[in-house]
Amino acid sequence: MIQNSIDIATYVSPNLSALIESQVNDPDAEQPATLASVRAFITNLLPASLSEAERLHHIDIDASLLDELDVLIEEFGDDALAIDFSRSTASEPLSRVIETVMNDENRENPPTLETVRDAIASGLPARLVGDGVLEDDEDDALLSEIEALIRRYGADSLAEEFLRYE
């Protein structure tokens, strides 16, 4: 299989990316999720009458998830691994933590996910709550979120690649 030289996940809508992520992380799945299996999942969720209407006539202004998937399947094939089309970004609170670590003037190298995890484990979120950068309840899930990113992308991945700008 030829590897794509561009990050194809950046061309997937946030809604489709979230749906793909849920299918990729399905503990009951027997095989890795593909674009075809994600499409089948969506189609099976729709009532028969609605799915027929979905195929024949679109009422919404935005392209439906099925339309978006059909474009991806046409370009990359229905057996393309769905995980390649899933965007992982940090939550807004984790993005603020990553930016704080990146802007540390004592840092010589760009921070990795492991560097950010170490900063979180060392109490950085509590300091950011005290400084008003984070809300009290925003620091609760930071450690589990960064560890999930590390499991998926590796501890040496550059943290700045996961920043979410809204």
Side-chain angles (χ1 to χ4, degrees), residues 16-115:
L16 181 57
S17 181
L19 181 73
I20 288 172
E21 188 76 24
S22 74
Q23 291 301 293
V24 166
N25 293 329
D26 181 2
D28 298 329
E30 295 176 14
Q31 298 288 326
T34 63
L35 292 179
S37 67
V38 172
R39 190 181 197 296
F41 174 78
I42 294 172
T43 304
N44 290 336
L45 289 177
L46 298 173
S49 61
L50 185 58
S51 84
E52 183 64 27
E54 177 74 20
R55 282 186 223 113
L56 297 176
H57 185 12
H58 295 290
I59 299 171
D60 357 27
I61 296 172
D62 295 331
S64 72
L65 294 179
L66 287 174
D67 288 339
E68 190 176 352
L69 267 170
D70 288 341
V71 169
L72 293 174
I73 288 170
E74 184 177 314
E75 186 167 346
F76 299 101
D78 60 355
D79 61 342
L81 291 176
I83 195 167
D84 293 337
F85 298 87
S86 172
R87 282 191 285 190
S88 284
T89 57
S91 65
E92 188 176 328
L94 182 57
S95 291
R96 285 187 243 138
V97 171
I98 291 171
E99 285 181 331
T100 301
V101 174
M102 286 173 47
N103 294 330
D104 181 0
E105 53 199 39
N106 296 323
R107 176 160 310 287
E108 293 179 18
N109 298 315
T112 62
L113 292 176
E114 182 175 27
T115 307

